[in-house]
Amino acid sequence: MNIKRKQAMNSEENKPFHAGLIALAGLPNAGKSTLLNTIIGEKIAIVSHTPQTTRNAIYGIKTTKEYQAVFVDTPGFHSPKNTLNKAIVQQAVDSLSIVDVICLLVEAGAKRGKDFNNLVSLIKEAPQEKILIITKIDTAPKEMVYKTAEEIFPLCKFKHVLPVSAVKNINVDTLMNLLYDELPENIMQYDEDLITTQPEKFLISEYIREQIFMRLRNEVPHDTLVYVEDYSDKLKSMEVNAIIYVNRESQKGIVIGESGSMLKTIGTAARKNLESFFEKKVRLNLWVKVKENWVARQEYLDMQGL
């Protein structure tokens, strides 16, 4: 099921309607998911300070009377080290080939290296219009923001460069105005109240996985897979049965915690966020299981849509 929210419609009459796909590309932790959530007005992509949080290309939809902007929040571009990472990077590459506009997000002052150069080379060859977005400007000195823009803008044929803070909502409306101009005249592709094409099971698993990232940081998150085994969705309540898969037995103990304390913390926080998103009571049942080297097994990649 696709997720819907009613959105306010306020814009000038007589403007031609524009619609199309926009890629949000960048290195891990560049701020893509935060920007997407701010634009949509709902948390549809998990946010973490830990790099490589996003594994799938997530579609978010912003609709007004003037436009329908369909955003592809691509997984962070990085050098793949295993089967899982190769599938993640391939998702990012494939996403760039289907969009109308490419936005490259770069954190102000962030270190750049081989992965960044490879991403720029990939984007440089793409025929679409490109916008350079300098992110997290609320946490960086102006001089650093300007320096980052000056260094990167000449590397590719960017049509615009824009400093943005998704957290402080700085220049987000300006970005949407730029994107309106770049999107083609087109009819609406999705219902006007749809905000994401992701199924409910995927969003539920992501809300759980977000809490694993937040609570455990670098200990085990990248070796975890959350699989929603089944769920029942009623008018006023929802019950979810989900399995957290880890690579090793030692990781299972970390996720569960002493006397189940960590698993309870993860479950409680995820449940509260799910209740806020779905606007109903949620009963969340979690189990932790070990599947050694699941990151190299296709059946578990399939569970994540990879």
Side-chain angles (χ1 to χ4, degrees):
M1 180 185 296
N2 295 324
I3 309 301
K4 298 183 178 182
R5 285 285 190 278
K6 278 293 182 184
Q7 302 202 32
M9 299 287 184
N10 51 17
S11 56
E12 301 173 14
E13 303 294 336
N14 305 322
K15 290 187 73 172
F17 193 83
H18 290 191
L21 285 163
I22 302 152
L24 301 179
L27 296 182
N29 216 26
K32 301 181 297 296
S33 296
T34 304
L35 179 59
L36 177 65
N37 291 339
T38 298
I39 290 170
I40 304 303
E42 294 281 356
K43 181 184 283 190
I44 60 172
I46 66 174
V47 177
S48 168
H49 294 297
T50 305
Q52 299 172 27
T53 306
T54 301
R55 289 177 178 166
N56 300 69
I58 296 173
Y59 285 61
I61 305 168
K62 174 73 172 180
T63 306
T64 71
K65 284 186 177 178
E66 296 175 355
Y67 63 81
Q68 185 171 79
V70 182
F71 290 90
V72 185
D73 176 20
T74 64
F77 191 88
H78 60 283
S79 297
K81 295 181 176 62
N82 54 39
T83 305
L84 173 63
N85 284 336
K86 288 178 182 178
I88 290 171
V89 171
Q90 192 58 50
Q91 284 253 7
V93 173
D94 291 345
S95 298
L96 295 180
S97 67
I98 63 172
V99 299
D100 299 289
V101 185
I102 297 174
C103 294
L104 175 62
L105 278 66
V106 181
E107 180 183 350
K111 293 181 180 179
R112 303 182 295 275
K114 179 181 176 181
D115 287 348
F116 180 78
N117 294 334
N118 289 341
L119 177 57
V120 169
S121 296
L122 186 66
I123 291 175
K124 192 174 183 179
E125 299 301 317
Q128 300 95 327
E129 292 290 4
K130 306 164 190 71
I131 298 175
L132 173 61
I133 301 174
I134 310 300
T135 63
K136 306 184 184 182
I137 63 169
D138 55 300
T139 61
K142 287 185 178 180
E143 295 77 12
M144 185 180 292
V145 175
Y146 295 144
K147 187 174 186 294
T148 302
E150 288 173 353
E151 290 174 352
I152 298 173
F153 192 77
L155 301 180
C156 196
K157 291 183 179 179
F158 293 105
K159 189 169 183 179
H160 307 283
V161 58
L162 186 68
V164 165
S165 168
V167 172
K168 299 290 186 179
N169 206 1
I170 299 171
N171 283 341
V172 175
D173 288 341
T174 302
L175 172 62
M176 297 311 302
N177 290 334
L178 292 177
L179 290 171
Y180 169 82
D181 291 335
E182 301 307 326
L183 290 175
E185 286 190 35
N186 204 347
I187 61 173
M188 192 178 295
Q189 303 297 305
Y190 297 94
D191 291 345
E192 66 183 36
D193 57 347
L194 199 67
I195 63 168
T196 182
T197 59
Q198 292 293 353
E200 286 185 348
K201 286 182 70 172
F202 174 82
L203 288 171
I204 293 168
S205 68
E206 288 291 271
Y207 269 78
I208 299 167
R209 199 163 65 90
E210 178 182 47
Q211 294 306 315
I212 297 172
F213 272 90
M214 290 181 66
R215 310 293 165 177
L216 299 176
R217 297 290 178 171
N218 293 320
E219 290 183 85
V220 297
H222 291 297
D223 285 346
T224 58
L225 159 66
V226 178
Y227 177 64
V228 177
E229 198 168 37
D230 61 72
Y231 74 104
S232 61
D233 190 3
K234 300 177 182 178
L235 183 62
K236 294 184 179 181
S237 66
M238 174 185 288
E239 181 167 0
V240 178
N241 296 312
I243 300 170
I244 300 172
Y245 286 106
V246 294
N247 259 335
R248 298 186 298 277
E249 190 68 35
S250 61
Q251 294 173 334
K252 180 178 178 180
I254 294 173
V255 175
I256 293 175
E258 186 176 352
S259 300
S261 58
M262 179 54 69
L263 187 61
K264 182 178 179 180
T265 298
I266 291 169
T268 299
R271 176 182 57 77
K272 290 179 178 178
N273 287 339
L274 288 168
E275 287 179 339
S276 176
F277 183 82
F278 288 107
E279 299 177 344
K280 63 180 67 177
K281 286 290 183 182
V282 175
R283 181 177 180 180
L284 177 59
N285 305 306
L286 294 177
W287 292 268
V288 184
K289 296 184 179 182
V290 179
K291 288 291 181 183
E292 292 187 6
N293 201 31
W294 69 261
V295 295
R297 297 166 65 174
Q298 189 60 45
E299 61 182 301
Y300 293 102
L301 301 184
D302 291 342
M303 287 180 181
Q304 302 171 89
L306 294 170

